[in-house]
Short mmCIF file of all heavy atoms in Angstrom, two decimals:
data_model
loop_
_atom_site.label_atom_id
_atom_site.label_comp_id
_atom_site.label_asym_id
_atom_site.label_seq_id
_atom_site.Cartn_x
_atom_site.Cartn_y
_atom_site.Cartn_z
N ALA A 126 -87.61 90.21 61.80
CA ALA A 126 -88.10 91.60 61.81
C ALA A 126 -87.41 92.38 62.93
O ALA A 126 -87.00 93.52 62.74
CB ALA A 126 -89.61 91.60 62.03
N ALA A 127 -87.25 91.75 64.10
CA ALA A 127 -86.57 92.43 65.21
C ALA A 127 -85.13 92.76 64.81
O ALA A 127 -84.63 93.86 65.10
CB ALA A 127 -86.60 91.56 66.46
N MET A 128 -84.47 91.82 64.14
CA MET A 128 -83.08 92.07 63.70
C MET A 128 -83.05 93.23 62.71
O MET A 128 -82.14 94.06 62.76
CB MET A 128 -82.50 90.81 63.03
CG MET A 128 -81.90 89.81 63.96
SD MET A 128 -80.83 90.48 65.25
CE MET A 128 -79.57 91.33 64.32
N MET A 129 -84.04 93.29 61.82
CA MET A 129 -84.08 94.39 60.85
C MET A 129 -84.22 95.72 61.60
O MET A 129 -83.58 96.71 61.24
CB MET A 129 -85.24 94.21 59.87
CG MET A 129 -84.95 93.13 58.82
SD MET A 129 -86.16 93.16 57.50
CE MET A 129 -87.49 92.20 58.17
N GLY A 130 -85.04 95.73 62.64
CA GLY A 130 -85.24 96.95 63.43
C GLY A 130 -83.95 97.37 64.14
O GLY A 130 -83.60 98.55 64.16
N ILE A 131 -83.24 96.40 64.69
CA ILE A 131 -81.99 96.69 65.42
C ILE A 131 -80.93 97.21 64.42
O ILE A 131 -80.26 98.23 64.68
CB ILE A 131 -81.48 95.42 66.15
CG1 ILE A 131 -82.44 95.08 67.30
CG2 ILE A 131 -80.06 95.60 66.65
CD1 ILE A 131 -82.22 93.71 67.92
N ASN A 132 -80.80 96.54 63.28
CA ASN A 132 -79.79 96.96 62.29
C ASN A 132 -80.13 98.34 61.72
O ASN A 132 -79.25 99.17 61.51
CB ASN A 132 -79.67 95.93 61.16
CG ASN A 132 -79.02 94.65 61.68
OD1 ASN A 132 -78.28 94.68 62.65
ND2 ASN A 132 -79.32 93.52 61.04
N ALA A 133 -81.42 98.56 61.48
CA ALA A 133 -81.84 99.85 60.92
C ALA A 133 -81.60 100.98 61.93
O ALA A 133 -81.23 102.09 61.56
CB ALA A 133 -83.31 99.80 60.53
N THR A 134 -81.77 100.68 63.22
CA THR A 134 -81.49 101.68 64.25
C THR A 134 -80.00 102.01 64.26
O THR A 134 -79.60 103.17 64.31
CB THR A 134 -81.93 101.15 65.64
OG1 THR A 134 -83.30 100.77 65.56
CG2 THR A 134 -81.75 102.18 66.73
N GLU A 135 -79.18 100.96 64.20
CA GLU A 135 -77.73 101.16 64.18
C GLU A 135 -77.30 102.03 63.00
O GLU A 135 -76.48 102.93 63.13
CB GLU A 135 -77.05 99.80 64.04
CG GLU A 135 -76.30 99.39 65.27
CD GLU A 135 -75.85 97.94 65.14
OE1 GLU A 135 -75.48 97.51 64.03
OE2 GLU A 135 -75.91 97.26 66.15
N ALA A 136 -77.92 101.75 61.84
CA ALA A 136 -77.54 102.47 60.62
C ALA A 136 -77.95 103.95 60.69
O ALA A 136 -77.22 104.82 60.24
CB ALA A 136 -78.19 101.81 59.41
N ASN A 137 -79.11 104.21 61.30
CA ASN A 137 -79.63 105.58 61.32
C ASN A 137 -79.23 106.38 62.56
O ASN A 137 -79.29 107.60 62.55
CB ASN A 137 -81.16 105.57 61.22
CG ASN A 137 -81.62 105.23 59.83
OD1 ASN A 137 -81.56 106.08 58.94
ND2 ASN A 137 -82.05 104.01 59.60
#
Side-chain angles (χ1 to χ4, degrees):
M128 275 315 302
M129 285 192 276
I131 291 169
N132 290 335
T134 305
E135 248 171 37
N137 286 284

